[in-house]
Amino acid sequence: MKQSNVIVLITSLTVSLLFSCSGQSDNELSNSFGPWTISINEVFDGGPGKDGIPSIDNPQFSSVAEVDFLAPSDLVLGLKVGDEIRAYPHPILDWHEIVNDEVNGKALAITYCPLTGTGSCWNREVLGAITSFGVSGLLYNSNLIPYDRKSDSNWSQLLMKSVNGTHTDEEIETYPMIETTWETWQEMYPMSRVLNTQTGFNRNYSFFPYGGYKTNHDQLLFPVAPLDDRLPAKQRGLGIIINEQSKFYPLSKFDSPLTLTQEEFNLTDIVVVGSNQQNILVAYERRLPDGTLLTFFPLANIGDPVIMEDTEGNRWNIFGEAVSGPRKNTVLVPIRGCIGYWFSFGAFYPEIEIY
């Protein structure tokens, strides 16, 4: 596999504000944490230490109408559990990376890594016990390693499983999240609740803590291997994982108001629908538990959460829920994965396919 020309660089601003980059020796990590299922000489200490980047453990929310700190182009992660709908803005997640929340009776953790641009929602109930997650201060392939506070196990965000500790190799249960712009989100879900800046910490949420990292497309802050140059390192897209096989859908390929593709990947029939214009990309299984294989087509109503219809006449929203038709209230099975930078999926899944 070719190596790209990505520059591994730490700006002086980032160093002064956040961390000094230092790899951990095999002995240090083994002695401190026990055996790892990933290469420990590729695990880096980001500098702030455990909980040096503080998780939000008592999240506060505002109505959409009350939010005045977000620009239309700011990204948010959206979550729907039953009738409860919440949004978690990137400008807050950039500084905290983990939000321990309870949504409609479910103990959940929103995990976000600003270095890989990946966000996902985790079930905080692990093997029957409720835990909370914190930021370990460690990184693997530039990606967040959360730890759970009940067992002190370390987890890989992009592998979606524990890589060290008493829960080693335990997979985390995930919930589907929607990543889109604030402009699109407030059009789709104007009655949702939004994580606000009353976090209990003194942070400037109008300032991105990693300097020009998002706009410097050749800049990485930590070593990543392998670096796959089939796409630009920071091209955003949806990476899906089915039985440890992965495929990447570049957001730029979904350039119509709403683009939909149906295909089979790793013996699973899936539908992927998205819009580069609206910064949306989601994937679901097409086959229902009763064996029915649905055929979909897109509904390109900008700002409408109902994004597709099937040949039975059912209409489906962005969370994979049938909102009308003979299968109303049916929910499609979400495909595991998340939106993020290409380089991260290329590193974690070296055999990854590209749409």
Side-chain angles (χ1 to χ4, degrees), residues 55 63 98-99 118 186 213 227 244 271 288 302 313 354:
S55 62
S63 68
I98 294 175
V99 179
T118 48
Q186 61 185 326
Y213 182 81
L227 279 172
E244 300 185 354
V271 56
L288 301 179
I302 302 299
I354 299 174

Side-chain angles (χ1 to χ4, degrees), residues 26-37:
D26 291 5
N27 288 336
E28 285 175 324
L29 279 175
S30 295
N31 292 338
S32 301
F33 301 99
W36 290 70
T37 60

Side-chain angles (χ1 to χ4, degrees), residues 37-99:
T37 60
I38 56 178
S39 175
I40 56 179
N41 63 352
E42 296 177 0
V43 175
F44 280 78
D45 182 347
K50 203 171 192 176
D51 292 318
I53 296 174
S55 62
I56 297 175
D57 299 328
N58 184 29
Q60 303 297 308
F61 294 85
S62 298
S63 68
V64 166
E66 293 171 321
V67 173
D68 60 3
F69 64 94
L70 292 176
S73 60
D74 283 337
L75 295 175
V76 301
L77 291 172
L79 175 68
K80 186 176 188 295
V81 181
D83 294 328
E84 186 72 22
I85 306 173
R86 298 185 183 181
Y88 303 83
H90 276 212
I92 297 177
L93 297 173
D94 287 333
W95 288 93
H96 297 283
E97 302 189 4
I98 294 175
V99 179

